[in-house]
Amino acid sequence: QVQVVESGGGSVQAGGSLRLSCVASGYTSSRYCIGWFRQAPAKEREGVAVIYTSDGTTYYADSVKGRFAISRDNAKNTLYLQMNALKPEDTAMYYCAAFPTWYNDNCARMRPDDYVYWGQGTQVTVSS
């Protein structure tokens, strides 16, 4: 059973930065899609950034490319999301999620329904 626990959310002004962390444990395979999703009030959950643990390939939503960076510290079993140049529209609950897969194409889809293991979420609020 994989467990993921997020931290690092908060409130920031537009243009500011935040770094989210996700500690993941209980892996039974070296091949997972693990990444960040977000959900704003009255909106569907959407993929933000995902990494394929087998080869480190990363995927980003168009809305965050060039501003957000996903990374992983294998020694600490920790996933990060560095968020720069934040905008009010980035305001949402951010979730870390993972699922095992043999194919990195599954990571590219960033489809929430594929993900089995979810954290409790951490709130990010960006004011204008």
Side-chain angles (χ1 to χ4, degrees):
Q1 180 86 4
V2 174
Q3 292 184 321
V4 291
V5 180
E6 310 97 334
S7 62
S11 297
V12 66
Q13 289 193 325
S17 298
L18 283 173
R19 189 176 79 159
L20 306 183
S21 300
C22 169
V23 177
S25 61
Y27 286 116
T28 58
S29 165
S30 62
R31 298 172 182 261
Y32 280 83
C33 296
I34 184 166
W36 295 94
F37 292 77
R38 67 186 182 187
Q39 188 166 20
K43 291 191 176 181
E44 292 188 354
R45 192 169 295 189
E46 63 176 359
V48 176
V50 171
I51 190 167
Y52 186 44
T53 60
S54 178
D55 61 12
T57 305
T58 57
Y59 304 91
Y60 294 92
D62 289 342
S63 59
V64 306
K65 281 180 182 176
R67 300 188 299 122
F68 291 11
I70 189 171
S71 62
R72 188 165 173 250
D73 184 332
N74 292 333
K76 297 181 178 179
N77 289 330
T78 301
L79 184 76
Y80 301 101
L81 183 68
Q82 179 66 44
M83 304 185 294
N84 299 325
L86 282 160
K87 304 175 181 180
E89 51 263 42
D90 294 317
T91 295
M93 184 71 78
Y94 282 71
Y95 298 89
C96 180
F99 79 101
T101 181
W102 284 93
Y103 307 107
N104 61 2
D105 286 353
N106 291 335
C107 300
R109 295 190 305 197
M110 290 196 287
R111 191 174 69 176
D113 286 350
D114 290 336
Y115 288 73
V116 179
Y117 307 108
W118 289 86
Q120 79 287 353
T122 186
Q123 179 67 37
V124 171
T125 302
V126 184
S127 58
S128 57

